Structures are given as structure tokens and as C-alpha cells.
Amino acid sequence: PFDDDTIISVEYNLLNSNYSNVVSCGKKGYAFFVAGHAYGTPGQDDGLHQPFLDYLNNQVVTNACSFGIFTGDFVVNGAKEAYYEQFFEQLKFLNMPVFAAPGNHDEAGSGNNYFIQYFGAKYSSFVKDQSLFIFLDPDGITELFSPNS
């Protein structure tokens, strides 16, 4: 039952239930990138991994990305604000919004405060052309949801 605009279809079943469903996604008029654990060499001050930055620059130009998403560990040590500053300095060529969920490196020491300072709330969402994007902080997740959720 798919038309030419369907790009992906997923069938799923809910656990402990007889409920099943098929979800299809149609083509959207935008592109974006998702990257995780993108910082450079552990223990060094080299910022984002240079081969990643080179690849990202090519992909953004080729695919006309509208925004970017980082899934954590984009700075080597969140306790130092300089690493957050370096992160944004290295990405200024993007000229687009960048969203993130924090990883353990980003939250190290006072990194929680810097993450909030630079990105806002650690739990957030936005809508782009009828697509909902949700960002969650995996730390303390058990405090947010009851076992029955």
C-alpha cells in the first residue's frame, strides 16, 4: 500500500499486547545530519574529529542540510567552557541550527551548566515540516518515568 513518495516503512508490535501497526514516512523537503561521539582524540584539545569535520563540510554542501543533531560526546570534557566555545567555533561554517542531547563527556564536572547555557533545556523538542524531533538526556532517565510508563 505504498506510493512513490514512501521512503521507509516500519512494522512494529507492542510488547505484551496484540497491537501492531505499520508506519510509513514520506519524502520531506529537508535534509539534516546526526552525529555522535564526534570529539577528536581523547585527552587532547583538538576539538571535533577533523576527518568528521571534512566529511560534514562535504555532506552539508552536497545535501543542503537544514540543521544538525549531535547525540552526545561532542566535547572531550564538558567541565571546561573552552571546549564548548571550540565546538561552536569549529561549526560556524555550517550557518544552520545545531541541536544536541548531552553525553557523559559533555556533562562532566560543570558541563551540565555549560550545556544548558549553550543549548538550553536538556529535554527539548521542535517541529520541522510536521516532523517532531525530541531530545532526551539519558542521565536520570529512571527518575522521569515510572516503571509502568
Side-chain angles (χ1 to χ4, degrees):
F2 307 117
D3 58 33
D4 290 340
D5 289 333
T6 299
I7 57 173
I8 188 171
S9 178
V10 177
E11 181 176 356
Y12 65 91
N13 298 307
L14 295 181
L15 296 176
N16 301 322
S17 172
N18 291 330
Y19 181 79
S20 65
N21 195 17
V22 175
V23 177
S24 299
C25 298
K27 293 180 182 177
K28 296 293 179 186
Y30 61 90
F32 62 97
F33 72 86
V34 178
H37 210 285
Y39 72 81
T41 311
Q44 295 188 15
D45 297 340
D46 54 355
L48 290 169
H49 190 55
Q50 190 59 51
F52 164 73
L53 282 173
D54 297 340
Y55 179 79
L56 181 60
N57 187 35
N58 181 49
Q59 290 301 305
V60 168
V61 170
T62 303
N63 295 308
C65 291
S66 299
F67 59 93
I69 296 173
F70 284 87
T71 61
D73 291 351
F74 49 86
V75 297
V76 69
N77 183 350
K80 296 182 180 179
E81 185 176 14
Y83 290 127
Y84 276 90
E85 293 169 349
Q86 181 183 39
F87 171 77
F88 284 103
E89 179 65 25
Q90 287 183 295
L91 293 178
K92 69 181 180 182
F93 73 91
L94 292 176
N95 197 25
M96 71 178 72
V98 173
F99 302 93
N104 64 316
H105 287 261
D106 313 316
E107 295 179 314
S110 53
N112 277 321
N113 295 331
Y114 293 132
F115 183 90
I116 292 168
Q117 176 183 330
Y118 285 93
F119 287 101
K122 290 168 60 176
Y123 296 88
S124 62
S125 65
F126 72 94
V127 175
K128 170 76 173 163
D129 296 346
Q130 300 181 338
S131 296
L132 174 63
F133 294 84
I134 301 172
F135 298 87
L136 303 172
D137 177 12
D139 289 344
I141 195 78
T142 56
E143 298 168 11
L144 292 176
F145 300 104
S146 71
N148 298 326
S149 295

